[in-house]
Amino acid sequence: MNEIPLGFLFTALAVLIVLSAFFSSSETALMALNRYRLRHLAKQGQRGAVLASRLLDEPDRLIGLILLGNNFVNILASSIATVIGLRLFGDSGIAIATGAMTLLLLIFGEVAPKTAAAVFPERFAFPASFVYTFLIRPLRPVIWLINWLANGLLSIFGLHPKNRGSNALTRAELHTIVRESGQRLPDLDQTMLLSVLELGQASVEDIMIPRAEIVGIDITQDWDDILDQLIHAQYSRLPVFEGSVEHTIGIINVRRLIGPLIDQSLTLPRLKRRLAEPYYVPEGTPLTTQLLNFQRQERRSALVVDEYGDIQGLVTLEDILEEIVGEFTTSPDSDHEGITLQDDGRYIVRGNLPIREINRELEVELPTDEASTLNGLVIEQLESLPTVGAAIELPDAHIEVRTVRKRAVDTALITTFKRDDSEG
């Protein structure tokens, strides 16, 4: 190489350092790509994403190609630097060239390009995928040989590259991704997605209207009282029963009675003919399952029964949807029905209110493992029937029984605490 001009050698060295930076940055960028965003962009037809996705389907070949190019470039660059060092400094030039190349490759060929690629992976990976797609074809035999030798070495230690784990995400991992989406998702969308992910962790008994609060039509009452109840009904669908909800004979859609109610032609036999068959669901049915069941059965409400077939409550499609999007009937600025904010910052809460609803409105985490309502939680914690003034202490709140009715908590006074994020 003594006949080659120094200017040419320096130019070749600079080009090789740039190529080293290319191989290093593209390797980091391709491995740092968000695989789910990559699939999304590939489905949209973005050419760079499509090529990158194909390359990453065979990571051993891709890595073999990158390392082949990177090592070849680095070794050649070191050789040229040695020649330059010898010609400029004599025998001491070998040490000088080694130190200089170590510093140059470390800064310009490794740290700087890899850092940039890790921060902006798509900017580096997509253009590089065009180059690698072109190079991988003519170099396939060499890459195959390198990978065959490398994979053979790995198999000795029980590592088989083809036995890769699944990239499927668990519910908890999806939950973390949504929470860390930050400004990429509006707060409302983030809240709804988190609610959907948490839907399967609750069952119909957690959100159902308790049996004692079911509003329905008792056909054993006076007909004038039944008509008055239908005219002033607050719900579009009501269970119709004889004496008690245990003897439900059907569900009536009040909207279909508007005409007969206006022209006063509605009679009890006509009312019974318009009844739909009652729909029953087990109390342990997950909300995700019940949502699909409502869709399949073309129903909007169901009576919840226990293992003995006794009615425990009523669940509606609106109840499940409110778990996702929040209350339909109240605005964020208005008091929640059943929760009243006091001047001192404490809350008066109805005892029959579901714990999940309290947690959502007060932003606390009262336990829902054993009890589904505030009354059930108090009884569970006290291990006895509630009395006025009885209190329980929980990590997120202090609950004091305010009034009792029929051996159950009627209202309670809740003082919330701010949970320390450093606590587990």
Side-chain angles (χ1 to χ4, degrees), residues 240-256:
V240 177
F241 49 82
E242 296 177 343
S244 72
V245 73
E246 284 293 343
H247 301 99
T248 299
I249 60 175
I251 306 295
I252 188 66
N253 187 338
V254 179
R255 292 177 181 175
R256 296 182 179 178

Side-chain angles (χ1 to χ4, degrees), residues 94-153:
I94 297 176
I96 295 174
T98 300
M101 282 306 298
T102 299
L103 188 62
L104 288 173
L105 288 176
L106 185 64
I107 296 174
F108 299 102
E110 294 290 335
V111 177
K114 284 188 174 183
T115 301
V119 177
F120 306 103
E122 293 179 9
R123 295 186 186 180
F124 289 81
F126 292 165
S129 63
F130 288 90
V131 178
Y132 289 135
T133 301
F134 173 77
L135 291 177
I136 203 168
R137 294 174 183 173
L139 295 175
R140 189 178 295 273
V142 179
I143 297 170
W144 178 86
L145 177 62
I146 294 172
N147 287 335
W148 180 76
L149 294 172
N151 292 340
L153 179 63

Side-chain angles (χ1 to χ4, degrees), residues 71-102:
N71 282 283
F72 175 79
V73 165
N74 287 344
I75 293 172
L76 183 57
S78 298
S79 300
I80 293 176
T82 301
V83 172
I84 293 174
L86 286 171
R87 290 177 62 176
L88 292 178
F89 305 104
D91 291 340
S92 61
I94 297 176
I96 295 174
T98 300
M101 282 306 298
T102 299

Side-chain angles (χ1 to χ4, degrees), residues 46-75:
Q46 185 170 336
R47 185 60 178 166
V50 172
L51 295 177
S53 181
R54 290 175 183 172
L55 290 169
L56 289 170
D57 284 340
E58 296 179 312
D60 53 342
R61 293 186 180 181
L62 176 61
I63 292 174
L65 173 61
I66 293 174
L67 293 181
L68 175 64
N70 202 17
N71 282 283
F72 175 79
V73 165
N74 287 344
I75 293 172

